[in-house]
């Protein structure tokens, strides 16, 4: 059974994102924090979860996707992610209406994304994306990706997820269990 939900808005004071999984923390219709998450990569649902209890509050099927393997970020009333399989084909910048679950292809990124994560910069509004150990921006109107910089670090193994806090500070995690890394958005270092 799928429950109808209303659009969720977040304010700058409480707009926080979790990038380790496909999650976005938002303020719900009743003013309480809620998590938005995808249920899995193939035929996913958009889940609204109570962060205090882990209870799924609602579930909507996401339409129009090929495969959503990771990274979900909220930009106003729209969710962004990267859609596509780990195959030789270009993956797509993908937009989801959180009130309905309706997905829309924005356009091809012109890249294939293996480890992927997306995040809206809360100060500039730019849509950043990470694949493997490279940082990109994604065009919110056309979908194309533009390389910003390789992601480097002396103990960095394989970058897997990232987040940008309210002040625009960037942090990422990796598969090697080395911990949390700070990153300069201009240089990737």
């Amino acid at each position: 059974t799928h429950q109808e939900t209303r659009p969720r808005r977040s304010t700058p004071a409480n707009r926080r994102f979790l990038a380790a999984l496909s999650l976005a923390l938002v303020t719900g219709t009743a003013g309480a924090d809620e998590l938005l998450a995808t249920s899995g990569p193939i035929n996913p649902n958009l889940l609204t979860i109570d962060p205090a209890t882990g209870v799924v509050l609602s579930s909507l099927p996401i339409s129009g996707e090929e495969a959503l393997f990771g990274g979900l970020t909220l930009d106003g009333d729209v969710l962004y992610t990267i859609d596509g399989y780990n195959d030789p084909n270009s993956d797509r910048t993908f937009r989801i209406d959180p009130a309905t679950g309706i997905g829309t292809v924005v356009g091809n990124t012109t890249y294939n994304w293996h480890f992927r994560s997306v995040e809206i910069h809360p100060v500039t509004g730019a849509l950043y994306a990470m694949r493997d150990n490279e940082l990109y921006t994604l065009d919110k109107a056309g979908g194309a990706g533009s390389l910003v910089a390789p992601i480097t670090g002396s103990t960095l193994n394989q970058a897997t997820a990232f987040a940008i806090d309210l002040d625009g500070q960037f942090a990422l995690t990796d598969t090697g269990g080395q911990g949390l890394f700070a990153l300069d958005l201009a240089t990737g270092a």
Side-chain angles (χ1 to χ4, degrees):
T1 303
H2 301 290
Q3 228 176 337
E4 191 82 20
T5 60
R6 294 180 19 212
R8 289 153 185 81
R9 297 185 190 277
S10 61
T11 62
N14 62 23
R15 191 173 178 199
R16 296 169 287 167
F17 299 99
L18 303 173
L21 301 171
S22 292
L23 299 171
L25 182 63
V26 299
T27 300
T29 55
D33 283 342
E34 294 174 344
L35 289 172
L36 297 178
T38 56
S39 61
I42 310 300
N43 300 315
N45 284 346
L46 182 63
L47 307 176
T48 302
I49 301 170
D50 181 325
T53 65
V55 171
V56 174
L57 303 173
S58 67
S59 177
L60 295 168
I62 298 172
S63 66
E65 90 299 331
E66 182 178 66
L68 305 178
F69 280 98
L72 185 67
T73 190
L74 184 70
D75 184 22
D77 289 338
V78 176
L79 291 164
Y80 283 96
T81 189
I82 296 171
D83 178 35
Y85 286 103
N86 290 336
D87 58 22
N89 301 323
S90 172
D91 291 338
R92 309 168 308 168
T93 300
F94 195 72
R95 185 172 46 233
I96 303 167
D97 180 331
T100 64
I102 294 172
T104 305
V105 173
V106 176
N108 283 334
T109 64
T110 68
Y111 297 96
N112 182 272
W113 302 76
H114 299 286
F115 291 98
R116 58 188 86 167
S117 188
V118 294
E119 187 68 88
I120 291 291
H121 193 291
V123 177
T124 67
L127 177 59
Y128 280 91
M130 181 182 69
R131 78 177 190 125
D132 302 311
N133 283 354
E134 297 174 325
L135 181 67
Y136 293 80
T137 56
L138 296 176
D139 179 353
K140 292 190 275 187
S146 298
L147 179 65
V148 173
I151 298 172
T152 61
S154 61
T155 61
L156 179 67
N157 180 15
Q158 176 68 60
T160 57
F162 73 97
I164 304 171
D165 72 13
L166 292 175
D167 297 322
Q169 302 299 312
F170 182 100
L172 67 94
T173 60
D174 80 345
T175 60
Q178 300 297 321
L180 188 64
F181 297 83
L183 187 73
D184 181 315
L185 289 174
T187 67

PDB file of all heavy atoms in Angstrom, residues 18-55:
ATOM      1  N   LEU A  18      22.523  13.241   4.509  1.00  0.00           N
ATOM      2  CA  LEU A  18      23.308  12.064   4.806  1.00  0.00           C
ATOM      3  C   LEU A  18      23.673  11.435   3.485  1.00  0.00           C
ATOM      4  O   LEU A  18      22.806  11.078   2.706  1.00  0.00           O
ATOM      5  CB  LEU A  18      22.491  11.082   5.650  1.00  0.00           C
ATOM      6  CG  LEU A  18      21.952  11.655   6.955  1.00  0.00           C
ATOM      7  CD1 LEU A  18      21.013  10.645   7.599  1.00  0.00           C
ATOM      8  CD2 LEU A  18      23.083  12.017   7.877  1.00  0.00           C
ATOM      9  N   ALA A  19      24.956  11.294   3.213  1.00  0.00           N
ATOM     10  CA  ALA A  19      25.370  10.829   1.892  1.00  0.00           C
ATOM     11  C   ALA A  19      25.873   9.390   1.874  1.00  0.00           C
ATOM     12  O   ALA A  19      26.131   8.863   0.819  1.00  0.00           O
ATOM     13  CB  ALA A  19      26.462  11.742   1.344  1.00  0.00           C
ATOM     14  N   ALA A  20      26.016   8.751   3.017  1.00  0.00           N
ATOM     15  CA  ALA A  20      26.539   7.394   3.014  1.00  0.00           C
ATOM     16  C   ALA A  20      25.602   6.430   2.294  1.00  0.00           C
ATOM     17  O   ALA A  20      26.034   5.472   1.701  1.00  0.00           O
ATOM     18  CB  ALA A  20      26.772   6.932   4.448  1.00  0.00           C
ATOM     19  N   LEU A  21      24.325   6.691   2.342  1.00  0.00           N
ATOM     20  CA  LEU A  21      23.326   5.909   1.631  1.00  0.00           C
ATOM     21  C   LEU A  21      22.504   6.881   0.805  1.00  0.00           C
ATOM     22  O   LEU A  21      22.768   8.059   0.781  1.00  0.00           O
ATOM     23  CB  LEU A  21      22.428   5.175   2.645  1.00  0.00           C
ATOM     24  CG  LEU A  21      23.149   4.227   3.590  1.00  0.00           C
ATOM     25  CD1 LEU A  21      22.191   3.760   4.669  1.00  0.00           C
ATOM     26  CD2 LEU A  21      23.714   3.048   2.830  1.00  0.00           C
ATOM     27  N   SER A  22      21.481   6.392   0.155  1.00  0.00           N
ATOM     28  CA  SER A  22      20.597   7.283  -0.582  1.00  0.00           C
ATOM     29  C   SER A  22      19.586   7.875   0.379  1.00  0.00           C
ATOM     30  O   SER A  22      18.454   7.416   0.490  1.00  0.00           O
ATOM     31  CB  SER A  22      19.877   6.520  -1.694  1.00  0.00           C
ATOM     32  OG  SER A  22      20.794   6.127  -2.673  1.00  0.00           O
ATOM     33  N   LEU A  23      20.009   8.887   1.116  1.00  0.00           N
ATOM     34  CA  LEU A  23      19.168   9.497   2.136  1.00  0.00           C
ATOM     35  C   LEU A  23      19.242  11.004   2.061  1.00  0.00           C
ATOM     36  O   LEU A  23      20.279  11.570   1.760  1.00  0.00           O
ATOM     37  CB  LEU A  23      19.645   9.107   3.543  1.00  0.00           C
ATOM     38  CG  LEU A  23      19.641   7.655   3.942  1.00  0.00           C
ATOM     39  CD1 LEU A  23      20.343   7.493   5.278  1.00  0.00           C
ATOM     40  CD2 LEU A  23      18.225   7.138   4.042  1.00  0.00           C
ATOM     41  N   ALA A  24      18.148  11.670   2.380  1.00  0.00           N
ATOM     42  CA  ALA A  24      18.132  13.115   2.553  1.00  0.00           C
ATOM     43  C   ALA A  24      17.283  13.407   3.778  1.00  0.00           C
ATOM     44  O   ALA A  24      16.186  12.879   3.919  1.00  0.00           O
ATOM     45  CB  ALA A  24      17.561  13.816   1.325  1.00  0.00           C
ATOM     46  N   LEU A  25      17.766  14.215   4.706  1.00  0.00           N
ATOM     47  CA  LEU A  25      17.033  14.590   5.901  1.00  0.00           C
ATOM     48  C   LEU A  25      16.318  15.893   5.615  1.00  0.00           C
ATOM     49  O   LEU A  25      16.936  16.875   5.222  1.00  0.00           O
ATOM     50  CB  LEU A  25      17.987  14.743   7.092  1.00  0.00           C
ATOM     51  CG  LEU A  25      17.354  15.100   8.430  1.00  0.00           C
ATOM     52  CD1 LEU A  25      16.407  14.003   8.894  1.00  0.00           C
ATOM     53  CD2 LEU A  25      18.451  15.324   9.463  1.00  0.00           C
ATOM     54  N   VAL A  26      15.002  15.901   5.792  1.00  0.00           N
ATOM     55  CA  VAL A  26      14.191  17.080   5.473  1.00  0.00           C
ATOM     56  C   VAL A  26      13.213  17.343   6.601  1.00  0.00           C
ATOM     57  O   VAL A  26      12.994  16.500   7.466  1.00  0.00           O
ATOM     58  CB  VAL A  26      13.410  16.889   4.150  1.00  0.00           C
ATOM     59  CG1 VAL A  26      14.364  16.682   2.985  1.00  0.00           C
ATOM     60  CG2 VAL A  26      12.423  15.748   4.250  1.00  0.00           C
ATOM     61  N   THR A  27      12.611  18.513   6.579  1.00  0.00           N
ATOM     62  CA  THR A  27      11.543  18.821   7.510  1.00  0.00           C
ATOM     63  C   THR A  27      10.225  18.389   6.884  1.00  0.00           C
ATOM     64  O   THR A  27       9.901  18.791   5.774  1.00  0.00           O
ATOM     65  CB  THR A  27      11.510  20.325   7.827  1.00  0.00           C
ATOM     66  OG1 THR A  27      12.764  20.680   8.392  1.00  0.00           O
ATOM     67  CG2 THR A  27      10.397  20.652   8.804  1.00  0.00           C
ATOM     68  N   GLY A  28       9.491  17.549   7.593  1.00  0.00           N
ATOM     69  CA  GLY A  28       8.239  17.021   7.081  1.00  0.00           C
ATOM     70  C   GLY A  28       7.095  17.999   7.216  1.00  0.00           C
ATOM     71  O   GLY A  28       7.240  19.107   7.728  1.00  0.00           O
ATOM     72  N   THR A  29       5.937  17.557   6.802  1.00  0.00           N
ATOM     73  CA  THR A  29       4.758  18.415   6.786  1.00  0.00           C
ATOM     74  C   THR A  29       4.329  18.825   8.186  1.00  0.00           C
ATOM     75  O   THR A  29       3.733  19.871   8.357  1.00  0.00           O
ATOM     76  CB  THR A  29       3.600  17.713   6.063  1.00  0.00           C
ATOM     77  OG1 THR A  29       3.377  16.451   6.690  1.00  0.00           O
ATOM     78  CG2 THR A  29       3.912  17.511   4.592  1.00  0.00           C
ATOM     79  N   ALA A  30       4.625  18.023   9.180  1.00  0.00           N
ATOM     80  CA  ALA A  30       4.258  18.355  10.555  1.00  0.00           C
ATOM     81  C   ALA A  30       5.368  19.108  11.271  1.00  0.00           C
ATOM     82  O   ALA A  30       5.289  19.356  12.462  1.00  0.00           O
ATOM     83  CB  ALA A  30       3.909  17.081  11.320  1.00  0.00           C
ATOM     84  N   GLY A  31       6.441  19.479  10.563  1.00  0.00           N
ATOM     85  CA  GLY A  31       7.533  20.227  11.164  1.00  0.00           C
ATOM     86  C   GLY A  31       8.624  19.364  11.762  1.00  0.00           C
ATOM     87  O   GLY A  31       9.627  19.879  12.232  1.00  0.00           O
ATOM     88  N   ALA A  32       8.464  18.046  11.764  1.00  0.00           N
ATOM     89  CA  ALA A  32       9.477  17.146  12.315  1.00  0.00           C
ATOM     90  C   ALA A  32      10.417  16.690  11.207  1.00  0.00           C
ATOM     91  O   ALA A  32      10.044  16.638  10.041  1.00  0.00           O
ATOM     92  CB  ALA A  32       8.801  15.933  12.953  1.00  0.00           C
ATOM     93  N   ASP A  33      11.663  16.360  11.604  1.00  0.00           N
ATOM     94  CA  ASP A  33      12.613  15.848  10.623  1.00  0.00           C
ATOM     95  C   ASP A  33      12.149  14.486  10.113  1.00  0.00           C
ATOM     96  O   ASP A  33      11.604  13.679  10.859  1.00  0.00           O
ATOM     97  CB  ASP A  33      14.005  15.688  11.243  1.00  0.00           C
ATOM     98  CG  ASP A  33      14.733  17.003  11.392  1.00  0.00           C
ATOM     99  OD1 ASP A  33      14.348  17.981  10.725  1.00  0.00           O
ATOM    100  OD2 ASP A  33      15.692  17.054  12.172  1.00  0.00           O
ATOM    101  N   GLU A  34      12.378  14.253   8.822  1.00  0.00           N
ATOM    102  CA  GLU A  34      12.102  12.975   8.195  1.00  0.00           C
ATOM    103  C   GLU A  34      13.250  12.659   7.256  1.00  0.00           C
ATOM    104  O   GLU A  34      13.904  13.557   6.744  1.00  0.00           O
ATOM    105  CB  GLU A  34      10.805  13.034   7.377  1.00  0.00           C
ATOM    106  CG  GLU A  34       9.566  13.239   8.198  1.00  0.00           C
ATOM    107  CD  GLU A  34       8.320  13.435   7.347  1.00  0.00           C
ATOM    108  OE1 GLU A  34       8.449  13.712   6.143  1.00  0.00           O
ATOM    109  OE2 GLU A  34       7.226  13.315   7.898  1.00  0.00           O
ATOM    110  N   LEU A  35      13.509  11.384   7.037  1.00  0.00           N
ATOM    111  CA  LEU A  35      14.492  10.941   6.055  1.00  0.00           C
ATOM    112  C   LEU A  35      13.758  10.537   4.791  1.00  0.00           C
ATOM    113  O   LEU A  35      12.717   9.878   4.853  1.00  0.00           O
ATOM    114  CB  LEU A  35      15.270   9.730   6.572  1.00  0.00           C
ATOM    115  CG  LEU A  35      16.250   9.951   7.688  1.00  0.00           C
ATOM    116  CD1 LEU A  35      16.762   8.606   8.198  1.00  0.00           C
ATOM    117  CD2 LEU A  35      17.406  10.796   7.218  1.00  0.00           C
ATOM    118  N   LEU A  36      14.314  10.903   3.645  1.00  0.00           N
ATOM    119  CA  LEU A  36      13.852  10.376   2.366  1.00  0.00           C
ATOM    120  C   LEU A  36      14.931   9.419   1.895  1.00  0.00           C
ATOM    121  O   LEU A  36      16.117   9.743   1.928  1.00  0.00           O
ATOM    122  CB  LEU A  36      13.648  11.494   1.347  1.00  0.00           C
ATOM    123  CG  LEU A  36      12.582  12.524   1.689  1.00  0.00           C
ATOM    124  CD1 LEU A  36      12.517  13.594   0.610  1.00  0.00           C
ATOM    125  CD2 LEU A  36      11.226  11.872   1.880  1.00  0.00           C
ATOM    126  N   ALA A  37      14.540   8.239   1.465  1.00  0.00           N
ATOM    127  CA  ALA A  37      15.501   7.218   1.060  1.00  0.00           C
ATOM    128  C   ALA A  37      14.929   6.414  -0.094  1.00  0.00           C
ATOM    129  O   ALA A  37      13.714   6.362  -0.284  1.00  0.00           O
ATOM    130  CB  ALA A  37      15.804   6.279   2.234  1.00  0.00           C
ATOM    131  N   THR A  38      15.817   5.788  -0.869  1.00  0.00           N
ATOM    132  CA  THR A  38      15.367   4.842  -1.872  1.00  0.00           C
ATOM    133  C   THR A  38      15.430   3.441  -1.278  1.00  0.00           C
ATOM    134  O   THR A  38      16.296   3.142  -0.458  1.00  0.00           O
ATOM    135  CB  THR A  38      16.212   4.923  -3.159  1.00  0.00           C
ATOM    136  OG1 THR A  38      17.586   4.733  -2.839  1.00  0.00           O
ATOM    137  CG2 THR A  38      16.028   6.267  -3.839  1.00  0.00           C
ATOM    138  N   SER A  39      14.509   2.576  -1.714  1.00  0.00           N
ATOM    139  CA  SER A  39      14.412   1.231  -1.141  1.00  0.00           C
ATOM    140  C   SER A  39      15.421   0.263  -1.728  1.00  0.00           C
ATOM    141  O   SER A  39      15.661  -0.788  -1.163  1.00  0.00           O
ATOM    142  CB  SER A  39      12.998   0.685  -1.359  1.00  0.00           C
ATOM    143  OG  SER A  39      12.721   0.606  -2.747  1.00  0.00           O
ATOM    144  N   GLY A  40      16.011   0.588  -2.849  1.00  0.00           N
ATOM    145  CA  GLY A  40      16.968  -0.289  -3.511  1.00  0.00           C
ATOM    146  C   GLY A  40      17.184   0.215  -4.921  1.00  0.00           C
ATOM    147  O   GLY A  40      16.500   1.126  -5.373  1.00  0.00           O
ATOM    148  N   PRO A  41      18.131  -0.373  -5.663  1.00  0.00           N
ATOM    149  CA  PRO A  41      18.466   0.169  -6.977  1.00  0.00           C
ATOM    150  C   PRO A  41      17.477  -0.158  -8.095  1.00  0.00           C
ATOM    151  O   PRO A  41      17.274   0.627  -8.999  1.00  0.00           O
ATOM    152  CB  PRO A  41      19.826  -0.446  -7.283  1.00  0.00           C
ATOM    153  CG  PRO A  41      19.876  -1.689  -6.476  1.00  0.00           C
ATOM    154  CD  PRO A  41      19.052  -1.426  -5.250  1.00  0.00           C
ATOM    155  N   ILE A  42      16.846  -1.320  -8.049  1.00  0.00           N
ATOM    156  CA  ILE A  42      15.965  -1.762  -9.128  1.00  0.00           C
ATOM    157  C   ILE A  42      14.514  -1.665  -8.658  1.00  0.00           C
ATOM    158  O   ILE A  42      14.171  -2.152  -7.589  1.00  0.00           O
ATOM    159  CB  ILE A  42      16.291  -3.213  -9.550  1.00  0.00           C
ATOM    160  CG1 ILE A  42      17.791  -3.388  -9.808  1.00  0.00           C
ATOM    161  CG2 ILE A  42      15.453  -3.630 -10.749  1.00  0.00           C
ATOM    162  CD1 ILE A  42      18.358  -2.502 -10.891  1.00  0.00           C
ATOM    163  N   ASN A  43      13.650  -1.038  -9.457  1.00  0.00           N
ATOM    164  CA  ASN A  43      12.250  -0.811  -9.089  1.00  0.00           C
ATOM    165  C   ASN A  43      12.114  -0.216  -7.695  1.00  0.00           C
ATOM    166  O   ASN A  43      11.379  -0.738  -6.851  1.00  0.00           O
ATOM    167  CB  ASN A  43      11.435  -2.115  -9.192  1.00  0.00           C
ATOM    168  CG  ASN A  43      11.444  -2.683 -10.581  1.00  0.00           C
ATOM    169  OD1 ASN A  43      11.262  -1.968 -11.557  1.00  0.00           O
ATOM    170  ND2 ASN A  43      11.669  -3.984 -10.683  1.00  0.00           N
ATOM    171  N   PRO A  44      12.814   0.885  -7.438  1.00  0.00           N
ATOM    172  CA  PRO A  44      12.833   1.424  -6.076  1.00  0.00           C
ATOM    173  C   PRO A  44      11.562   2.171  -5.702  1.00  0.00           C
ATOM    174  O   PRO A  44      10.820   2.640  -6.558  1.00  0.00           O
ATOM    175  CB  PRO A  44      14.013   2.385  -6.118  1.00  0.00           C
ATOM    176  CG  PRO A  44      14.006   2.884  -7.523  1.00  0.00           C
ATOM    177  CD  PRO A  44      13.600   1.683  -8.353  1.00  0.00           C
ATOM    178  N   ASN A  45      11.362   2.273  -4.415  1.00  0.00           N
ATOM    179  CA  ASN A  45      10.349   3.145  -3.841  1.00  0.00           C
ATOM    180  C   ASN A  45      11.059   4.285  -3.138  1.00  0.00           C
ATOM    181  O   ASN A  45      12.191   4.123  -2.667  1.00  0.00           O
ATOM    182  CB  ASN A  45       9.485   2.398  -2.830  1.00  0.00           C
ATOM    183  CG  ASN A  45       8.478   1.483  -3.495  1.00  0.00           C
ATOM    184  OD1 ASN A  45       8.241   1.572  -4.688  1.00  0.00           O
ATOM    185  ND2 ASN A  45       7.899   0.599  -2.716  1.00  0.00           N
ATOM    186  N   LEU A  46      10.394   5.424  -3.055  1.00  0.00           N
ATOM    187  CA  LEU A  46      10.872   6.543  -2.263  1.00  0.00           C
ATOM    188  C   LEU A  46      10.233   6.405  -0.892  1.00  0.00           C
ATOM    189  O   LEU A  46       9.010   6.423  -0.758  1.00  0.00           O
ATOM    190  CB  LEU A  46      10.485   7.874  -2.912  1.00  0.00           C
ATOM    191  CG  LEU A  46      10.968   9.119  -2.191  1.00  0.00           C
ATOM    192  CD1 LEU A  46      12.502   9.170  -2.158  1.00  0.00           C
ATOM    193  CD2 LEU A  46      10.411  10.367  -2.853  1.00  0.00           C
ATOM    194  N   LEU A  47      11.076   6.213   0.105  1.00  0.00           N
ATOM    195  CA  LEU A  47      10.604   5.977   1.460  1.00  0.00           C
ATOM    196  C   LEU A  47      10.734   7.248   2.286  1.00  0.00           C
ATOM    197  O   LEU A  47      11.742   7.946   2.193  1.00  0.00           O
ATOM    198  CB  LEU A  47      11.427   4.873   2.129  1.00  0.00           C
ATOM    199  CG  LEU A  47      11.555   3.556   1.373  1.00  0.00           C
ATOM    200  CD1 LEU A  47      12.487   2.618   2.127  1.00  0.00           C
ATOM    201  CD2 LEU A  47      10.193   2.924   1.152  1.00  0.00           C
ATOM    202  N   THR A  48       9.735   7.527   3.091  1.00  0.00           N
ATOM    203  CA  THR A  48       9.822   8.566   4.106  1.00  0.00           C
ATOM    204  C   THR A  48       9.956   7.831   5.428  1.00  0.00           C
ATOM    205  O   THR A  48       9.123   6.986   5.763  1.00  0.00           O
ATOM    206  CB  THR A  48       8.562   9.456   4.111  1.00  0.00           C
ATOM    207  OG1 THR A  48       8.411  10.029   2.818  1.00  0.00           O
ATOM    208  CG2 THR A  48       8.698  10.570   5.141  1.00  0.00           C
ATOM    209  N   ILE A  49      11.041   8.138   6.167  1.00  0.00           N
ATOM    210  CA  ILE A  49      11.386   7.393   7.371  1.00  0.00           C
ATOM    211  C   ILE A  49      11.480   8.345   8.555  1.00  0.00           C
ATOM    212  O   ILE A  49      12.035   9.447   8.447  1.00  0.00           O
ATOM    213  CB  ILE A  49      12.741   6.674   7.180  1.00  0.00           C
ATOM    214  CG1 ILE A  49      12.644   5.716   5.983  1.00  0.00           C
ATOM    215  CG2 ILE A  49      13.179   5.953   8.450  1.00  0.00           C
ATOM    216  CD1 ILE A  49      13.986   5.146   5.550  1.00  0.00           C
ATOM    217  N   ASP A  50      10.978   7.929   9.696  1.00  0.00           N
ATOM    218  CA  ASP A  50      11.140   8.681  10.934  1.00  0.00           C
ATOM    219  C   ASP A  50      12.567   8.428  11.422  1.00  0.00           C
ATOM    220  O   ASP A  50      12.914   7.290  11.734  1.00  0.00           O
ATOM    221  CB  ASP A  50      10.135   8.201  11.973  1.00  0.00           C
ATOM    222  CG  ASP A  50      10.226   8.956  13.286  1.00  0.00           C
ATOM    223  OD1 ASP A  50      11.340   9.347  13.694  1.00  0.00           O
ATOM    224  OD2 ASP A  50       9.178   9.139  13.915  1.00  0.00           O
ATOM    225  N   PRO A  51      13.440   9.464  11.480  1.00  0.00           N
ATOM    226  CA  PRO A  51      14.834   9.232  11.869  1.00  0.00           C
ATOM    227  C   PRO A  51      15.013   8.798  13.319  1.00  0.00           C
ATOM    228  O   PRO A  51      16.011   8.181  13.660  1.00  0.00           O
ATOM    229  CB  PRO A  51      15.527  10.567  11.600  1.00  0.00           C
ATOM    230  CG  PRO A  51      14.440  11.571  11.613  1.00  0.00           C
ATOM    231  CD  PRO A  51      13.190  10.865  11.178  1.00  0.00           C
ATOM    232  N   ALA A  52      14.045   9.080  14.166  1.00  0.00           N
ATOM    233  CA  ALA A  52      14.158   8.690  15.570  1.00  0.00           C
ATOM    234  C   ALA A  52      13.848   7.217  15.779  1.00  0.00           C
ATOM    235  O   ALA A  52      14.446   6.564  16.632  1.00  0.00           O
ATOM    236  CB  ALA A  52      13.229   9.545  16.431  1.00  0.00           C
ATOM    237  N   THR A  53      12.936   6.681  14.973  1.00  0.00           N
ATOM    238  CA  THR A  53      12.498   5.304  15.191  1.00  0.00           C
ATOM    239  C   THR A  53      12.872   4.348  14.071  1.00  0.00           C
ATOM    240  O   THR A  53      12.848   3.137  14.256  1.00  0.00           O
ATOM    241  CB  THR A  53      10.965   5.257  15.345  1.00  0.00           C
ATOM    242  OG1 THR A  53      10.366   5.666  14.105  1.00  0.00           O
ATOM    243  CG2 THR A  53      10.494   6.146  16.490  1.00  0.00           C
ATOM    244  N   GLY A  54      13.159   4.887  12.872  1.00  0.00           N
ATOM    245  CA  GLY A  54      13.429   4.041  11.719  1.00  0.00           C
ATOM    246  C   GLY A  54      12.185   3.503  11.052  1.00  0.00           C
ATOM    247  O   GLY A  54      12.264   2.730  10.103  1.00  0.00           O
ATOM    248  N   VAL A  55      11.021   3.917  11.514  1.00  0.00           N
ATOM    249  CA  VAL A  55       9.760   3.449  10.956  1.00  0.00           C
ATOM    250  C   VAL A  55       9.520   4.118   9.603  1.00  0.00           C
ATOM    251  O   VAL A  55       9.693   5.333   9.459  1.00  0.00           O
ATOM    252  CB  VAL A  55       8.591   3.765  11.925  1.00  0.00           C
ATOM    253  CG1 VAL A  55       7.241   3.486  11.280  1.00  0.00           C
ATOM    254  CG2 VAL A  55       8.741   2.966  13.209  1.00  0.00           C
TER     255      VAL A  55
END
